[in-house]
Amino acid sequence: MAYSHRFISSCAALMLVSEIWKQWTLTFILGAGRYNLWYFPFQLCSIPMYVCIALLFFGRKNEKLTSLLLSFLMSFGLLGGIFAFFDTSGMHYLYAPLTIHSYAWHILLIILGCYCGLCKKTERSYRGLCFSISLYLVCCLIATGFNLLFYRFGEINMFYINPYYTMNQKFFWRIAASFGNTAGILSYIMASMIGAALFHLLFHRICHSLAKHKIMNFI
């Protein structure tokens, strides 16, 4: 599948506009004019928006960076989209349009991840995986910085790894309960990397098989 700058640009614009609408709605319709740090757009499922915006500006200028960013969307973007549906409690709001937006957002992540997985320009090598994991860990560090700096101003739990909150993600809360919150957080981060690596490997094998049987040219 050939790389489509128009498709990525459309995703970037759609995600940015809908995120602005979401933040406005949460603040002025549900929050009575008070901003809730809990909904600050820096979760794993929010990062693809920033990646798409980066691709919008650099996608035609730097092919190497483009291929690496597409690799991130293929692995961690798809991971965030799929696994959100294993626990949809955080996707439901008192305002129905926000709930619809949340479901649509994660479906778009899945579509975007699969598109990047089959895109010829995506870096599906070990290098692409290392870049994706490195970017994810950088985002974890930034999220931790947000959590520690802004915790005093309200509830905030970026990437669900705020040490001030007990890990409450499915399965990992059991690890936190048995071995401590730090173990729960670290196991959550490690599991995310393993999951993304599995998606990376899956698409590597799929595309290798398609290319081997000369099917890739027809996708």
Side-chain angles (χ1 to χ4, degrees):
M1 182 181 293
Y3 173 72
S4 172
H5 186 73
R6 178 176 295 181
F7 173 69
I8 295 297
S9 300
S10 298
C11 289
L14 179 62
M15 296 173 88
L16 179 60
V17 170
S18 68
E19 183 61 42
I20 292 173
W21 169 82
K22 174 185 174 182
Q23 295 298 320
W24 184 89
T25 303
L26 286 167
T27 302
F28 295 103
I29 294 183
L30 297 184
R34 183 177 180 182
Y35 186 71
N36 190 338
L37 287 172
W38 187 272
Y39 298 112
F40 183 77
F42 202 83
Q43 300 288 7
L44 177 59
C45 295
S46 307
I47 303 303
M49 176 182 68
Y50 302 114
V51 172
C52 285
I53 292 173
L55 286 168
L56 174 62
F57 289 100
F58 304 111
R60 289 177 174 173
K61 301 177 182 179
N62 192 325
E63 291 192 1
K64 187 176 295 185
L65 177 61
T66 295
S67 65
L68 292 172
L69 291 175
L70 292 175
S71 181
F72 180 87
L73 293 174
M74 173 186 71
S75 51
F76 284 96
L78 182 59
L79 177 77
I82 289 178
F83 280 91
F85 287 96
F86 282 79
D87 183 5
T88 60
S89 58
M91 297 165 63
H92 291 263
Y93 296 85
L94 296 176
Y95 188 55
L98 282 174
T99 301
I100 295 172
H101 170 270
S102 185
Y103 275 84
W105 182 283
H106 291 88
I107 291 172
L108 178 59
L109 292 187
I110 295 172
I111 294 172
L112 189 58
C114 290
Y115 164 80
C116 294
L118 296 173
C119 180
K120 292 181 181 179
K121 187 172 283 191
T122 302
E123 182 63 71
R124 285 179 288 272
S125 68
Y126 180 72
R127 180 185 181 187
L129 177 60
C130 288
F131 173 85
S132 298
I133 290 176
S134 298
L135 179 56
Y136 171 70
L137 290 176
V138 168
C139 289
C140 286
L141 287 175
I142 295 173
T144 299
F146 284 151
N147 290 333
L148 297 178
L149 286 173
F150 298 110
Y151 175 74
R152 68 188 69 181
F153 302 110
E155 295 182 333
I156 183 171
N157 193 7
M158 301 295 95
F159 274 51
Y160 301 105
I161 57 173
N162 191 335
Y164 290 111
Y165 292 96
T166 302
M167 169 59 66
N168 62 357
Q169 296 295 296
K170 280 191 173 182
F171 175 75
F172 297 100
W173 72 266
R174 296 180 181 274
I175 296 177
S178 300
F179 303 101
N181 202 42
T182 300
I185 290 173
L186 292 178
S187 61
Y188 175 73
I189 293 173
M190 182 61 67
S192 298
M193 292 190 292
I194 293 173
L198 290 176
F199 281 123
H200 190 98
L201 178 61
L202 174 64
F203 278 108
H204 173 77
R205 292 190 174 183
I206 288 174
C207 292
H208 178 75
S209 178
L210 292 174
K212 183 178 179 180
H213 294 90
K214 299 182 179 180
I215 301 175
M216 200 65 178
N217 293 330
F218 300 97
I219 299 179

